[in-house]
Amino acid sequence: MEFNIYWRLAGFYFTYFAFVAAHSSYWSLYLQSLGFAAAQIGTLMAVQQVTRIFAPTFWGAMSDRIGRPDRVIKFTMLAAVPVFCAVFFTDSFVGLFVMMSIVGFFWSGPLPLVEASTLQRLGGATAQYGRVRLWGSIGFIVVVCGVGAMLDFISISRLPVILLFLMLAMLVFAWLVPPGAKTLHADDQGAILSILRQPKVVAFFVACFLMTFAHGPLYVFFSIYLVDHGYSKTSIGLLWSIGVLVEIVIFYYFPRIQQRFSVCRIFLFCFFVAALRFLLIAWCAEWFPLLFFAQVLHAFTFGAFHVIALGFVHRHFSGRHQAKGQALFTGLTYGAGGMLGGFLSGFVWDPLGPAVTFSLAALSAAAGFSLLWWKRPFDAD
């Protein structure tokens, strides 16, 4: 990949996940400061995940139709910024619900298109994807630590200002995303439904759904959970950043790991350690070293998982289905799985407690492991 293209894509990943860091780590605390109950917080945190179910597919199809994903990326980000500004004029549940729904519809569009563009430019060397994507993880760490430290000294009410600044930075780099590499798509690649009906593809998508479902309670309630156990916002930022730091290591060294172990084994291991991670979070929050270790496991529960999953999608949804394939993956897994996991955790959190909620997350990851062990979708690749 050319150096100029590399840094333009890296810049987008950096700013995109910088925004994700501030939003996913501290937005629930902002909502809590407005007096919302756990079920309301779970609903508001899940609403943007709902848009990730269908919006990426819509924008992916639009990109494939016009053949210029960079234009779609610019349009969606340009539309998201002014809508987000509504946060400064409402603090009601309905107002925030509407604002987050519309922002989510636009904001969830660019990432799958950038993913498809990055993988397209890498060609067959998809294992090298992590060395571009790691800049998103660096952006996450910088912001989650920096904002966490800031919020120990300023009011959480200032969070929307921080988020707006990060969104504007994302808009700048969205404008710099290069046009997709020109490719000629064969007419004999078949309908996308024929790909989705393949048993190995079905098993893959269901397993990925279960993994992202398991992460739902983490992204909605982890910061609140830590505050309830006496951790400062600086410590919260540190724990979030540790997970992303090891994610960077995995992204960088994944090509070497893949040379030593089969993709199937690595993917199964990701689900095994996910179940372990959520059990540690559920029952060991008072022991910082064990909580620290649980966050280290993020290297596999997201890092290695994500690289392998995108590679699988890239191989099976080629040519004219490339952007739609990445969008479907985002919508059906991170969208539907993350939304349902976060939404349902809001209704379990108060009546059953955090330990049971995170234990159910571990059970979801274990179910994904069992499905992969049974179907072995990578063995046929």
Side-chain angles (χ1 to χ4, degrees), residues 305-329:
F305 164 83
H306 187 67
V307 175
I308 294 172
L310 287 191
F312 183 94
V313 174
H314 182 67
R315 288 192 301 276
H316 289 84
F317 295 83
S318 60
R320 62 191 173 92
H321 298 316
Q322 191 171 93
K324 287 193 290 289
Q326 294 296 340
L328 279 168
F329 171 73

Side-chain angles (χ1 to χ4, degrees), residues 213-228:
F213 181 91
H215 281 73
L218 182 80
Y219 292 123
V220 174
F221 289 111
F222 189 55
S223 294
I224 293 175
Y225 183 57
L226 294 176
V227 167
D228 290 344

Side-chain angles (χ1 to χ4, degrees), residues 7 108 122 166:
W7 282 107
S108 60
L122 290 171
L166 293 172

Side-chain angles (χ1 to χ4, degrees), residues 50-326:
V50 173
T51 62
R52 291 181 75 181
I53 298 173
F54 60 88
T57 303
F58 172 83
W59 295 117
M62 183 70 67
S63 170
D64 284 341
R65 178 177 292 273
I66 68 175
R68 289 294 303 270
D70 56 306
R71 291 182 178 177
V72 177
I73 292 167
K74 293 171 184 175
F75 172 77
T76 53
M77 284 309 309
L78 191 61
V81 171
V83 177
F84 179 78
C85 291
V87 73
F88 300 107
F89 303 98
T90 181
D91 58 3
S92 71
F93 177 82
V94 174
L96 290 174
F97 183 92
V98 173
M99 180 276 290
M100 294 174 71
S101 298
I102 299 174
V103 168
F105 175 73
F106 291 110
W107 177 74
S108 60
L111 184 61
L113 301 180
V114 174
E115 302 276 41
S117 178
T118 302
L119 290 166
Q120 183 185 27
R121 290 179 178 279
L122 290 171
T126 56
Q128 300 293 330
Y129 156 85
R131 298 188 176 181
V132 184
R133 171 61 175 76
L134 65 81
W135 286 100
S137 302
I138 293 172
F140 190 103
I141 289 176
V142 169
V143 169
V144 81
C145 290
V147 173
M150 288 173 61
L151 293 177
D152 277 332
F153 296 98
I154 66 174
S155 171
I156 191 70
S157 65
R158 307 306 297 170
L159 182 64
V161 176
I162 297 171
L163 289 172
L164 177 60
F165 173 80
L166 293 172
M167 188 171 278
L168 289 170
M170 196 186 343
L171 174 62
V172 170
F173 277 96
W175 226 257
L176 297 176
V177 169
K182 299 295 184 182
T183 57
L184 296 175
H185 301 326
D187 294 330
D188 60 350
Q189 291 168 326
I192 196 168
L193 286 177
S194 66
I195 303 173
L196 290 170
R197 291 193 187 105
Q198 297 177 32
K200 63 181 178 181
V201 175
V202 173
F204 166 80
F205 272 104
V206 173
C208 291
F209 171 90
L210 290 169
M211 176 68 102
T212 55
F213 181 91
H215 281 73
L218 182 80
Y219 292 123
V220 174
F221 289 111
F222 189 55
S223 294
I224 293 175
Y225 183 57
L226 294 176
V227 167
D228 290 344
H229 280 81
Y231 291 94
S232 68
K233 294 182 180 65
T234 300
S235 298
I236 293 171
L238 174 64
L239 283 168
W240 278 109
S241 65
I242 288 300
V244 184
L245 180 62
V246 295
E247 176 186 301
I248 294 173
V249 175
I250 283 290
F251 281 151
Y252 188 83
Y253 287 104
F254 188 79
R256 297 185 188 181
I257 296 173
Q258 192 172 337
Q259 290 174 359
R260 297 190 60 184
F261 304 97
S262 71
V263 171
C264 182
R265 287 188 177 184
I266 300 170
F267 211 54
L268 282 168
F269 185 70
C270 293
F271 282 76
F272 173 80
V273 299
L276 174 61
R277 179 188 185 189
F278 293 121
L279 287 175
L280 289 173
I281 293 173
W283 301 103
C284 302
E286 293 83 2
W287 291 280
F288 183 81
L290 290 178
L291 202 59
F292 184 94
F293 176 68
Q295 289 300 93
V296 169
L297 296 179
H298 186 77
F300 291 95
T301 69
F302 175 76
F305 164 83
H306 187 67
V307 175
I308 294 172
L310 287 191
F312 183 94
V313 174
H314 182 67
R315 288 192 301 276
H316 289 84
F317 295 83
S318 60
R320 62 191 173 92
H321 298 316
Q322 191 171 93
K324 287 193 290 289
Q326 294 296 340

